[in-house]
Amino acid sequence: MTPEARQALADRIFDKARRSGQTIDNDPLFVRWMEEWISGDIDMAVLRERYRTLLVSRRRQHSQENEPS
């Protein structure tokens, strides 16, 4: 897939998500990873795994912040 095709695909997916009221993660790490995927530097499996790890990290941090002292 060309970078142009990847960009068009990402645009369509994000536009559809926004129209349905979903928010798109604007974390600089996620944005950079999307750019890497669009340029073809990483594949979708790598992007997916990185993002999953980021989400798990956020949940852990949130849980720790909300633990009773």
Side-chain angles (χ1 to χ4, degrees):
M1 186 182 299
T2 67
E4 294 80 14
R6 288 176 192 234
Q7 182 67 61
L9 177 61
D11 290 344
R12 281 193 310 273
I13 291 168
F14 290 155
D15 287 345
K16 183 177 179 179
R18 285 184 191 98
R19 284 193 307 272
S20 70
Q22 298 177 40
T23 58
I24 305 301
D25 199 326
N26 63 356
D27 186 295
L29 282 173
F30 176 67
V31 172
R32 187 176 79 228
W33 298 334
M34 282 299 302
E35 291 170 351
E36 290 176 8
W37 176 75
I38 289 167
S39 69
D41 293 335
I42 63 173
D43 63 23
M44 183 52 71
V46 171
L47 173 60
R48 190 179 311 113
E49 181 59 26
R50 288 179 180 179
Y51 191 58
R52 188 194 68 76
T53 301
L54 176 63
L55 294 176
V56 168
S57 173
R58 285 179 185 168
R59 281 188 216 115
R60 285 185 182 143
Q61 182 179 8
H62 181 74
S63 293
Q64 290 172 353
E65 290 171 357
N66 293 314
E67 286 180 358
S69 300

